[in-house]
Amino acid sequence: MAMTLADQAALTGQDGQMADKRPSRPVRRTFTAAYKARILAAFDALPEGSAERGALLRTEKLYHSHIEHWRKQQNNGTLAASTGKPKKDTESEELARLRAENKKLKAETAKLETRNDKLAGELGKTRTALDIAGKAFALLEDISSSADSDES
């Protein structure tokens, strides 16, 4: 996008130099553990599904995801220590990773068992077809040998 003379004039300062008028980056809000606990208590004190809960979130300029995240922190016991980035609990992270991996493996096992059942059914059909084909071959062989003996 080309800058017009009017744009350049708007950006020049008193000394004729270009002024840096870029907006600064927004600063992420941080919440103290006491604030989180107070908001959670106030939110939980209100009836579930009531308009007052939404009003509380609007007045505090919060989202429901804040409440969910803070409740998860409270249940994990990390809310009291969170005044910035929460400390990583390696055991709980590993446990969560292993549970996710276990869930994935169970789903894969169920899928493979279903496939195995399907293939076992197809194998049964194939064996039956081969048995029928074998009997048909034996019958044709008997008919052919009896026809040859009748001609002689």
Side-chain angles (χ1 to χ4, degrees):
M1 177 169 118
M3 208 176 216
T4 65
L5 290 175
D7 292 333
Q8 290 177 356
L11 291 176
T12 56
Q14 296 288 349
D15 57 358
Q17 296 293 324
M18 294 291 283
D20 189 15
K21 296 241 179 172
R22 285 180 277 164
S24 62
R25 293 191 86 189
V27 178
R28 182 180 288 253
R29 294 187 301 170
T30 57
F31 305 101
T32 63
Y35 176 80
K36 292 176 182 181
R38 183 173 57 82
I39 295 297
L40 277 174
F43 188 82
D44 290 337
L46 297 170
E48 190 170 332
S50 68
E52 290 91 8
R53 283 185 166 190
L56 173 68
L57 294 177
R58 282 190 299 277
T59 57
E60 297 293 329
K61 294 184 174 98
L62 296 172
Y63 295 99
H64 191 263
S65 60
H66 285 112
I67 300 295
E68 290 173 347
H69 180 68
W70 296 346
R71 188 167 286 131
K72 193 178 290 185
Q73 285 180 333
Q74 194 176 46
N75 292 340
N76 290 340
T78 59
L79 179 61
S82 66
T83 55
K85 285 189 174 179
K87 294 181 181 177
K88 292 184 179 179
D89 184 13
T90 56
E91 285 184 18
S92 63
E93 285 179 0
E94 183 178 5
L95 181 62
R97 183 186 60 78
L98 289 173
R99 283 183 176 159
E101 184 179 347
N102 192 18
K103 185 177 179 181
K104 190 187 302 182
L105 289 173
K106 283 182 179 179
E108 189 176 325
T109 301
K111 200 182 295 183
L112 288 174
E113 285 175 350
T114 303
R115 184 158 189 247
N116 189 27
D117 292 343
K118 181 180 175 184
L119 290 174
E122 289 179 13
L123 178 62
K125 289 177 188 176
T126 303
R127 284 185 175 156
T128 303
L130 284 174
D131 187 42
I132 291 171
K135 289 179 180 178
F137 180 76
L139 179 64
L140 289 173
E141 201 172 59
D142 284 346
I143 292 172
S144 173
S145 65
S146 68
D148 289 343
S149 62
D150 288 345
E151 289 179 7
S152 10

